[in-house]
Short mmCIF file of all heavy atoms in Angstrom, two decimals:
data_model
loop_
_atom_site.label_atom_id
_atom_site.label_comp_id
_atom_site.label_asym_id
_atom_site.label_seq_id
_atom_site.Cartn_x
_atom_site.Cartn_y
_atom_site.Cartn_z
N ARG A 1 0.84 -1.20 0.00
CA ARG A 1 0.00 0.00 0.00
C ARG A 1 0.88 1.25 0.00
O ARG A 1 1.94 1.29 0.64
CB ARG A 1 -0.91 0.00 1.22
CG ARG A 1 -1.90 1.15 1.22
CD ARG A 1 -3.05 0.90 2.17
NE ARG A 1 -3.92 2.05 2.29
CZ ARG A 1 -5.09 2.05 2.91
NH1 ARG A 1 -5.53 0.94 3.48
NH2 ARG A 1 -5.84 3.14 2.97
N ALA A 2 0.47 2.25 -0.75
CA ALA A 2 1.23 3.49 -0.87
C ALA A 2 0.54 4.60 -0.09
O ALA A 2 -0.68 4.58 0.12
CB ALA A 2 1.36 3.90 -2.34
N GLY A 3 1.35 5.56 0.34
CA GLY A 3 0.83 6.72 1.07
C GLY A 3 1.44 8.01 0.56
O GLY A 3 2.11 8.03 -0.48
N VAL A 4 1.23 9.07 1.31
CA VAL A 4 1.71 10.39 0.91
C VAL A 4 3.22 10.38 0.67
O VAL A 4 3.73 11.04 -0.24
CB VAL A 4 1.32 11.44 1.97
CG1 VAL A 4 2.00 12.77 1.71
CG2 VAL A 4 -0.20 11.62 1.99
N ALA A 5 3.95 9.60 1.46
CA ALA A 5 5.41 9.54 1.31
C ALA A 5 5.82 8.95 -0.04
O ALA A 5 6.99 9.11 -0.44
CB ALA A 5 6.02 8.73 2.45
N ASP A 6 4.90 8.29 -0.73
CA ASP A 6 5.21 7.65 -2.01
C ASP A 6 4.76 8.47 -3.22
O ASP A 6 4.84 7.99 -4.36
CB ASP A 6 4.54 6.28 -2.08
CG ASP A 6 5.02 5.35 -0.98
OD1 ASP A 6 6.24 5.11 -0.92
OD2 ASP A 6 4.17 4.88 -0.20
N ILE A 7 4.30 9.69 -3.00
CA ILE A 7 3.78 10.50 -4.10
C ILE A 7 4.83 10.70 -5.19
O ILE A 7 4.53 10.60 -6.39
CB ILE A 7 3.24 11.84 -3.58
CG1 ILE A 7 1.86 11.63 -2.94
CG2 ILE A 7 3.16 12.89 -4.70
CD1 ILE A 7 1.26 12.87 -2.31
N ASP A 8 6.07 10.94 -4.83
CA ASP A 8 7.11 11.14 -5.84
C ASP A 8 7.31 9.89 -6.69
O ASP A 8 7.58 9.98 -7.89
CB ASP A 8 8.43 11.54 -5.18
CG ASP A 8 8.43 12.98 -4.69
OD1 ASP A 8 7.53 13.75 -5.08
OD2 ASP A 8 9.34 13.34 -3.92
N ILE A 9 7.17 8.71 -6.07
CA ILE A 9 7.31 7.46 -6.82
C ILE A 9 6.16 7.32 -7.82
O ILE A 9 6.36 6.98 -9.00
CB ILE A 9 7.33 6.25 -5.87
CG1 ILE A 9 8.56 6.31 -4.97
CG2 ILE A 9 7.29 4.94 -6.65
CD1 ILE A 9 8.61 5.22 -3.91
N ILE A 10 4.94 7.59 -7.37
CA ILE A 10 3.78 7.50 -8.26
C ILE A 10 3.92 8.49 -9.42
O ILE A 10 3.68 8.15 -10.59
CB ILE A 10 2.48 7.76 -7.47
CG1 ILE A 10 2.26 6.65 -6.45
CG2 ILE A 10 1.27 7.89 -8.41
CD1 ILE A 10 1.17 6.94 -5.43
N ARG A 11 4.35 9.69 -9.12
CA ARG A 11 4.51 10.69 -10.17
C ARG A 11 5.59 10.29 -11.17
O ARG A 11 5.44 10.51 -12.38
CB ARG A 11 4.84 12.05 -9.55
CG ARG A 11 3.72 12.63 -8.69
CD ARG A 11 4.09 14.01 -8.18
NE ARG A 11 4.04 14.99 -9.26
CZ ARG A 11 4.65 16.16 -9.24
NH1 ARG A 11 5.39 16.49 -8.19
NH2 ARG A 11 4.54 16.99 -10.24
N ALA A 12 6.65 9.68 -10.70
CA ALA A 12 7.72 9.25 -11.60
C ALA A 12 7.22 8.17 -12.57
O ALA A 12 7.54 8.20 -13.77
CB ALA A 12 8.92 8.74 -10.80
N ILE A 13 6.44 7.21 -12.05
CA ILE A 13 5.88 6.19 -12.94
C ILE A 13 4.89 6.82 -13.92
O ILE A 13 4.89 6.51 -15.12
CB ILE A 13 5.19 5.08 -12.12
CG1 ILE A 13 6.19 4.39 -11.19
CG2 ILE A 13 4.54 4.05 -13.05
CD1 ILE A 13 5.55 3.45 -10.19
N ALA A 14 4.05 7.71 -13.41
CA ALA A 14 3.03 8.35 -14.25
C ALA A 14 3.65 9.14 -15.39
O ALA A 14 3.10 9.18 -16.51
CB ALA A 14 2.14 9.26 -13.41
N ARG A 15 4.77 9.78 -15.15
CA ARG A 15 5.42 10.57 -16.21
C ARG A 15 5.82 9.71 -17.39
O ARG A 15 5.94 10.22 -18.51
CB ARG A 15 6.63 11.31 -15.65
CG ARG A 15 6.26 12.57 -14.87
CD ARG A 15 7.47 13.45 -14.61
NE ARG A 15 8.39 12.85 -13.65
CZ ARG A 15 8.35 13.04 -12.33
NH1 ARG A 15 7.40 13.83 -11.81
NH2 ARG A 15 9.23 12.48 -11.54
N ARG A 16 6.02 8.41 -17.16
CA ARG A 16 6.34 7.50 -18.26
C ARG A 16 5.09 6.79 -18.77
O ARG A 16 4.88 6.67 -19.98
CB ARG A 16 7.35 6.46 -17.79
CG ARG A 16 8.67 7.04 -17.30
CD ARG A 16 9.76 6.00 -17.28
NE ARG A 16 10.05 5.54 -18.62
CZ ARG A 16 10.60 4.36 -18.90
NH1 ARG A 16 10.90 3.52 -17.93
NH2 ARG A 16 10.84 4.01 -20.15
N ALA A 17 4.25 6.32 -17.85
CA ALA A 17 3.14 5.46 -18.24
C ALA A 17 1.98 6.23 -18.88
O ALA A 17 1.41 5.76 -19.87
CB ALA A 17 2.63 4.70 -17.02
N PHE A 18 1.63 7.39 -18.33
CA PHE A 18 0.44 8.09 -18.80
C PHE A 18 0.61 8.61 -20.24
O PHE A 18 -0.23 8.34 -21.10
CB PHE A 18 0.08 9.21 -17.83
CG PHE A 18 -1.31 9.76 -18.04
CD1 PHE A 18 -2.41 9.08 -17.53
CD2 PHE A 18 -1.51 10.94 -18.73
CE1 PHE A 18 -3.70 9.59 -17.72
CE2 PHE A 18 -2.79 11.44 -18.92
CZ PHE A 18 -3.88 10.76 -18.42
N PRO A 19 1.71 9.33 -20.55
CA PRO A 19 1.88 9.77 -21.94
C PRO A 19 2.01 8.61 -22.92
O PRO A 19 1.50 8.69 -24.05
CB PRO A 19 3.16 10.60 -21.89
CG PRO A 19 3.28 11.05 -20.47
CD PRO A 19 2.74 9.90 -19.67
N ALA A 20 2.66 7.52 -22.51
CA ALA A 20 2.79 6.37 -23.40
C ALA A 20 1.43 5.76 -23.74
O ALA A 20 1.22 5.25 -24.84
CB ALA A 20 3.69 5.31 -22.76
N THR A 21 0.50 5.83 -22.79
CA THR A 21 -0.83 5.28 -23.00
C THR A 21 -1.67 6.15 -23.92
O THR A 21 -2.43 5.64 -24.77
CB THR A 21 -1.56 5.12 -21.65
OG1 THR A 21 -0.80 4.26 -20.81
CG2 THR A 21 -2.97 4.56 -21.83
N TYR A 22 -1.53 7.47 -23.81
CA TYR A 22 -2.48 8.38 -24.46
C TYR A 22 -1.91 9.26 -25.57
O TYR A 22 -2.64 10.05 -26.15
CB TYR A 22 -3.14 9.27 -23.40
CG TYR A 22 -4.03 8.50 -22.48
CD1 TYR A 22 -3.65 8.23 -21.16
CD2 TYR A 22 -5.26 8.00 -22.91
CE1 TYR A 22 -4.46 7.51 -20.30
CE2 TYR A 22 -6.09 7.29 -22.07
CZ TYR A 22 -5.68 7.04 -20.77
OH TYR A 22 -6.50 6.32 -19.93
N ARG A 23 -0.63 9.10 -25.90
CA ARG A 23 -0.05 10.03 -26.88
C ARG A 23 -0.71 9.93 -28.25
O ARG A 23 -0.70 10.90 -29.01
CB ARG A 23 1.46 9.81 -27.00
CG ARG A 23 1.89 8.48 -27.55
CD ARG A 23 3.39 8.50 -27.93
NE ARG A 23 4.22 8.92 -26.85
CZ ARG A 23 4.93 8.10 -26.06
NH1 ARG A 23 4.84 6.78 -26.28
NH2 ARG A 23 5.68 8.56 -25.10
N ASP A 24 -1.27 8.75 -28.58
CA ASP A 24 -1.95 8.60 -29.88
C ASP A 24 -3.45 8.81 -29.77
O ASP A 24 -4.17 8.64 -30.77
CB ASP A 24 -1.66 7.20 -30.45
CG ASP A 24 -0.20 7.00 -30.78
OD1 ASP A 24 0.46 7.97 -31.17
OD2 ASP A 24 0.29 5.85 -30.64
N ILE A 25 -3.93 9.18 -28.59
CA ILE A 25 -5.37 9.35 -28.37
C ILE A 25 -5.72 10.80 -28.05
O ILE A 25 -6.71 11.34 -28.55
CB ILE A 25 -5.85 8.43 -27.22
CG1 ILE A 25 -5.60 6.95 -27.58
CG2 ILE A 25 -7.33 8.66 -26.90
CD1 ILE A 25 -5.90 5.98 -26.44
N LEU A 26 -4.91 11.44 -27.21
CA LEU A 26 -5.17 12.80 -26.75
C LEU A 26 -4.17 13.78 -27.34
O LEU A 26 -3.06 13.41 -27.71
CB LEU A 26 -5.10 12.86 -25.22
CG LEU A 26 -5.99 11.88 -24.44
CD1 LEU A 26 -5.72 12.02 -22.95
CD2 LEU A 26 -7.45 12.11 -24.75
N SER A 27 -4.58 15.04 -27.41
CA SER A 27 -3.67 16.08 -27.87
C SER A 27 -2.58 16.33 -26.82
O SER A 27 -2.78 16.05 -25.63
CB SER A 27 -4.43 17.38 -28.11
OG SER A 27 -4.89 17.92 -26.88
N PRO A 28 -1.42 16.85 -27.23
CA PRO A 28 -0.39 17.19 -26.24
C PRO A 28 -0.90 18.14 -25.17
O PRO A 28 -0.50 18.03 -24.00
CB PRO A 28 0.70 17.84 -27.10
CG PRO A 28 0.51 17.26 -28.46
CD PRO A 28 -0.97 17.08 -28.61
N GLU A 29 -1.81 19.05 -25.56
CA GLU A 29 -2.35 20.01 -24.60
C GLU A 29 -3.21 19.31 -23.55
O GLU A 29 -3.12 19.61 -22.36
CB GLU A 29 -3.16 21.08 -25.33
CG GLU A 29 -2.36 21.98 -26.24
CD GLU A 29 -2.00 21.35 -27.57
OE1 GLU A 29 -2.59 20.29 -27.92
OE2 GLU A 29 -1.11 21.89 -28.26
N GLN A 30 -4.04 18.36 -24.00
CA GLN A 30 -4.88 17.64 -23.03
C GLN A 30 -4.03 16.72 -22.16
O GLN A 30 -4.30 16.58 -20.96
CB GLN A 30 -5.97 16.84 -23.73
CG GLN A 30 -6.91 16.15 -22.73
CD GLN A 30 -8.21 15.68 -23.32
OE1 GLN A 30 -8.55 16.05 -24.45
NE2 GLN A 30 -8.96 14.87 -22.60
N LEU A 31 -3.00 16.11 -22.74
CA LEU A 31 -2.11 15.27 -21.94
C LEU A 31 -1.47 16.08 -20.81
O LEU A 31 -1.45 15.65 -19.65
CB LEU A 31 -1.00 14.69 -22.82
CG LEU A 31 -1.23 13.31 -23.42
CD1 LEU A 31 -0.10 12.95 -24.37
CD2 LEU A 31 -1.34 12.27 -22.33
N ALA A 32 -0.96 17.26 -21.16
CA ALA A 32 -0.31 18.10 -20.14
C ALA A 32 -1.31 18.53 -19.08
O ALA A 32 -1.00 18.53 -17.87
CB ALA A 32 0.32 19.32 -20.81
N TYR A 33 -2.52 18.88 -19.51
CA TYR A 33 -3.55 19.31 -18.55
C TYR A 33 -3.91 18.17 -17.60
O TYR A 33 -4.00 18.36 -16.37
CB TYR A 33 -4.80 19.76 -19.32
CG TYR A 33 -5.97 20.11 -18.43
CD1 TYR A 33 -6.04 21.34 -17.79
CD2 TYR A 33 -7.01 19.19 -18.22
CE1 TYR A 33 -7.12 21.66 -16.96
CE2 TYR A 33 -8.08 19.50 -17.40
CZ TYR A 33 -8.13 20.73 -16.77
OH TYR A 33 -9.19 21.04 -15.96
N MET A 34 -4.09 16.96 -18.15
CA MET A 34 -4.51 15.84 -17.31
C MET A 34 -3.39 15.37 -16.37
O MET A 34 -3.66 14.93 -15.25
CB MET A 34 -5.00 14.68 -18.19
CG MET A 34 -6.31 14.99 -18.91
SD MET A 34 -6.98 13.60 -19.86
CE MET A 34 -7.50 12.50 -18.53
#
């Protein structure tokens, strides 16, 4: 289980996983906003 102390870890994974998932679906502007 993760907590507030793990926020930096979650953000680091998200910076790789989220754009890789949506780069062909969403605009760069919407990706940055989300």
Side-chain angles (χ1 to χ4, degrees):
R1 185 162 174 171
V4 170
D6 299 302
I7 283 176
D8 285 347
I9 296 175
I10 295 168
R11 295 184 72 200
I13 299 171
R15 281 193 291 269
R16 300 198 65 203
F18 195 80
T21 301
Y22 292 106
R23 65 167 54 100
D24 295 327
I25 299 174
L26 305 177
S27 69
E29 294 78 14
Q30 183 163 348
L31 266 174
Y33 175 80
M34 291 184 70

